[in-house]
Amino acid sequence: MDLKVLTYIIVGVTFAVYIGIAFWARAASTGEFYVAGKGVNPIANGMATAADWMSAASFISMAGLIAFGGYGTSVFLMGWTGGYVLLAMLLAPYLRKFGKFTVPEFIGERYYSKTARIVAVLCLIIASITYVIGQMKGIGVAFSRFLEMSYEWGLYVGMGVVFIYAVLGGMKGITYTQIAQYCVLIFAYTIPAIFISLNLTGMPIPQIGLGSEMTDGSGTYLLDKLDLVVTELGFKEYSTQVMGSKLNMFVYTLSLMIGTAGLPHVIIRFFTVPKVADARSSAGWALVFIAILYTTAPAVGAMARLNLLETIQVGPVGEETGNLVYDERPQWFKNWETTGLLQFEDKNGDGRIQYYNDKNEAFAAQAESFGWRGNEMVKVDKDIMVLANPEIAGLPNWVIALVVAGGLAAALSTAAGLLLAISSAISHDLLKGVFWTGISEQGELLAGRISMAGAIVLAGYFGLHPPDFAAGTVAIAFGLAASSIFPVLMMGIFNKKVNKTGAIWGMIAGIGVTMAYVFQHKGIFFVPGTAFLGDLEPHWFLGISPNAFGAVGALVNFGVAILVSKVTAEPPEHIQHLVEDIRVPRSVGEAPAH
């Protein structure tokens, strides 16, 4: 069957299931809208949490990052998985025991201050909107390929789909939709990886295939072959390449870890289970489901890079016939050119594609002797690699269609969870909690849906010109959460002496420092042309990239909060007892009701 027809069928069926579930499980009360009535089974919640967690950044962008960044991009694997362990062990059970709907609600009560709650809401919205921008980039990439249209129109279509099922269903609908989406995305990720691993190494387990010998009879191991291919074209050695400096890699990993533990859309999932014990169980199951994809990603990235380079460099480097003739390019190349995410420019007029690192001065001089006049693959968007990989490898059409469906599932599932976190922050924490305490339940539901729709439009606008590729944009969001939300949660649970004044000024200082650093390198509110320092390594503080600066902001937050608390009045006695009660494991039974 034709690939286009098959893709429409598979994606259409999965979308029908998602939207059908959204209608079936649509929220009728605020409890169902925010926390699915607190009645979700721990295993089901673990699967939904995994889908919520494995966003466009994980499915679409992470393996693309690994493909081009090699060893250095392992910070994403270590940071995101390590952060989830941190969240599961140090935050989720205690927050579930506290028994509230949202993170700002916890902060408002723990720090006995509406002002603290408002500041937390603003921090949450800033981090979550930035995160949704990353998802919108992934949605635009996936829909542009699926519908064979420009990236911009793909983004508009994706915004409409998110609006239909996220705004209708609330947390109840989103939870059961995400269970279906997890099944789709994990099959879509692992099945192509198995096929490609078999093709290249004869090993059906991709994790093992990454370290296995090639099937070409050369006796060369896959990683050794990849190192040879990339260095022959002037790129850095794949298996030793680092991201900036070792300090930057350490800070980047730390920022992703603590940012994970501060992101409200993941934390809120632990409020949907009946008991505190179920929150711990959900976390364990979610780690199992997440590990399936995260251990596969390095193999997918390495194999995608090798397949891409060998498709273009068809013979020995430097020989006239060693490069692919542009008019003989494969169909997958033409398909991605339609989206604008893959672009070729014939700089030397020979009708062949030269793809190499022309920033490497030593190799650029050698390339000039070959008659090459610069890298002709002027755009290879990192975010296309996972979706393009099955096509590049020549896999069956049904596998390619399944990957498109999986990419859409990953982007849409996390976008929905983030939008719900934004919605609950505005309608529940700001409107009902501060400005209009007497609002009816139906009025609160309406306000939640309106704010969710507004967030879709805002994120879609920024998604047209994102500050970075999907995973890079998401890393900025993690940094914002790390610098603002994580410290006050940790101190709120484990330090009874931190008071409301310290918490408020800590959040403001942490997110203020981080935003100032990001904006001077990425542009003010990510507007192109307003980055007055430019995103160049020589301008980075101690060599720390803007995407990694959240860990520095978190240190500022901790420092300011503790210092201010020492010179101002201690928290009231009942608040100090509350902090102690949260940590005492009296029972693993029912948590306090909202």
Side-chain angles (χ1 to χ4, degrees):
M1 187 181 292
D2 179 68
L3 173 59
K4 189 172 184 179
V5 174
L6 197 56
T7 305
Y8 272 94
I9 292 172
I10 291 179
V11 173
V13 168
T14 58
F15 271 41
V17 171
Y18 304 155
I19 294 172
I21 291 172
F23 274 98
W24 165 73
R26 62 187 180 275
S29 67
T30 52
E32 290 184 343
F33 188 80
Y34 295 132
V35 291
K38 295 184 180 178
V40 181
N41 178 275
I43 298 177
N45 194 53
M47 194 175 289
T49 304
D52 204 351
W53 176 239
M54 291 189 294
S55 62
S58 293
F59 187 99
I60 294 175
S61 192
M62 185 170 63
L65 273 175
I66 295 171
F68 289 92
Y71 165 74
T73 44
S74 61
V75 298
F76 290 92
L77 293 170
M78 295 185 292
W80 282 338
T81 50
Y84 196 85
V85 175
L86 193 67
L87 170 63
M89 298 294 290
L90 293 183
L91 292 180
Y94 302 111
L95 292 172
R96 177 63 190 91
K97 185 177 180 181
F98 195 75
K100 298 300 179 182
F101 276 169
T102 67
V103 169
E105 193 171 19
F106 167 80
I107 291 172
E109 293 210 14
R110 160 58 182 88
Y111 295 106
Y112 51 97
S113 168
K114 285 187 176 180
T115 304
R117 186 171 181 172
I118 292 170
V119 173
V121 169
L122 294 176
C123 293
L124 182 155
I125 291 172
I126 291 168
S128 296
I129 287 286
T130 307
Y131 201 158
V132 179
I133 294 169
Q135 302 316 303
M136 289 299 177
K137 170 71 192 299
I139 288 171
V141 171
F143 269 103
S144 63
R145 172 64 190 90
F146 161 49
L147 297 174
E148 296 185 8
M149 56 174 57
S150 70
Y151 165 78
E152 290 76 13
W153 277 104
L155 177 59
Y156 295 142
V157 173
M159 288 167 62
V161 173
V162 172
F163 179 86
I164 291 172
Y165 82 84
V167 174
L168 280 174
M171 180 58 85
K172 185 179 179 184
I174 287 170
T175 295
Y176 293 105
T177 301
Q178 285 174 336
I179 292 169
Q181 287 169 329
Y182 176 79
C183 296
V184 172
L185 74 86
I186 204 64
F187 277 107
Y189 204 84
T190 54
I191 288 175
I194 291 168
F195 270 102
I196 295 169
S197 182
L198 277 169
N199 285 347
L200 292 176
T201 68
M203 170 55 67
I205 303 172
Q207 293 89 335
I208 299 175
L210 181 62
S212 299
E213 289 185 6
M214 301 286 293
T215 54
D216 57 9
S218 64
T220 306
Y221 286 89
L222 188 146
L223 283 174
D224 291 335
K225 176 69 175 293
L226 182 54
D227 277 343
L228 178 65
V229 170
V230 295
T231 53
E232 278 188 334
L233 292 169
F235 297 102
K236 293 180 180 178
E237 190 176 61
Y238 185 85
S239 58
T240 60
Q241 184 176 347
V242 297
M243 187 184 288
S245 64
K246 289 186 177 178
L247 174 63
N248 185 58
M249 288 184 64
F250 172 78
V251 176
Y252 211 135
T253 304
L254 182 60
S255 180
L256 293 174
M257 281 183 66
I258 62 178
T260 298
L263 278 168
H265 82 288
V266 177
I267 294 172
I268 201 172
R269 290 236 55 97
F270 297 102
F271 299 154
T272 65
V273 292
K275 297 180 294 187
V276 177
D278 293 336
R280 292 189 176 93
S281 179
S282 290
W285 280 108
L287 278 169
V288 171
F289 294 130
I290 290 168
I292 297 172
L293 187 145
Y294 269 55
T295 57
T296 308
V300 172
M303 293 172 186
R305 180 77 177 279
L306 183 60
N307 281 333
L308 174 67
L309 291 173
E310 291 194 329
T311 298
I312 296 172
Q313 190 66 44
V314 294
V317 176
E319 289 191 6
E320 186 178 348
T321 58
N323 298 88
L324 179 69
V325 176
Y326 178 71
D327 290 339
E328 297 175 3
R329 67 196 187 282
Q331 186 60 43
W332 69 264
F333 197 112
K334 299 174 184 177
N335 292 340
W336 282 104
E337 281 184 302
T338 303
T339 68
L341 299 171
L342 191 70
Q343 294 176 9
F344 163 77
E345 179 185 337
D346 193 358
K347 295 180 178 180
N348 64 352
D350 68 350
R352 293 181 178 271
I353 304 173
Q354 281 90 46
Y355 179 36
Y356 65 99
N357 183 13
D358 55 6
K359 301 293 188 296
N360 181 334
E361 293 181 6
F363 185 78
Q366 185 181 357
E368 195 169 342
S369 68
F370 300 152
W372 299 357
R373 296 293 178 266
N375 174 35
E376 297 180 341
M377 292 302 300
V378 292
K379 185 171 186 180
V380 182
D381 195 299
K382 295 180 179 71
D383 292 339
I384 75 172
M385 292 308 298
V386 168
L387 298 179
N389 200 18
E391 294 179 90
I392 297 171
L395 298 187
N397 283 349
W398 68 268
V399 178
I400 299 169
L402 183 62
V403 171
V404 175
L408 292 170
L412 294 172
S413 62
T414 302
L418 287 163
L419 291 166
L420 187 71
I422 296 168
S423 166
S424 62
I426 294 172
S427 61
H428 186 72
D429 290 303
L430 278 186
L431 196 60
K432 183 173 183 176
V434 179
F435 298 114
W436 190 2
T437 54
I439 189 173
S440 68
E441 187 169 288
Q442 289 305 311
E444 188 182 349
L445 269 176
L446 179 61
R449 286 180 167 131
I450 291 172
S451 58
M452 191 182 283
I456 292 172
V457 173
L458 183 62
Y461 170 76
F462 283 112
L464 288 172
H465 302 287
D468 214 324
F469 45 89
T473 305
V474 167
I476 295 172
F478 276 68
L480 294 170
S483 64
S484 57
I485 301 294
F486 173 77
V488 291
L489 290 179
M490 286 293 291
M491 292 183 289
I493 294 169
F494 296 102
N495 189 339
K496 65 182 182 180
K497 296 295 185 180
V498 176
N499 62 20
K500 63 179 181 182
T501 312
I504 292 167
W505 284 108
M507 285 188 284
I508 293 171
I511 199 166
V513 165
T514 304
M515 287 178 67
Y517 190 76
V518 170
F519 286 169
Q520 69 184 358
H521 293 288
K522 298 286 187 181
I524 299 171
F525 294 105
F526 309 132
V527 174
T530 59
F532 51 88
L533 282 184
D535 194 11
L536 298 174
E537 191 171 343
H539 298 149
W540 294 350
F541 173 72
L542 296 178
I544 299 172
S545 70
N547 302 47
F549 205 73
V552 179
L555 289 177
V556 171
N557 188 330
F558 276 115
V560 169
I562 291 170
L563 287 174
V564 171
S565 296
K566 284 185 180 295
V567 298
T568 50
E570 283 192 352
E573 198 68 27
H574 73 278
I575 294 294
Q576 296 191 43
H577 285 307
L578 173 67
V579 175
E580 291 176 346
D581 288 343
I582 292 172
R583 296 200 306 270
V584 175
R586 289 192 309 267
S587 164
V588 291
E590 296 290 338
H594 173 68

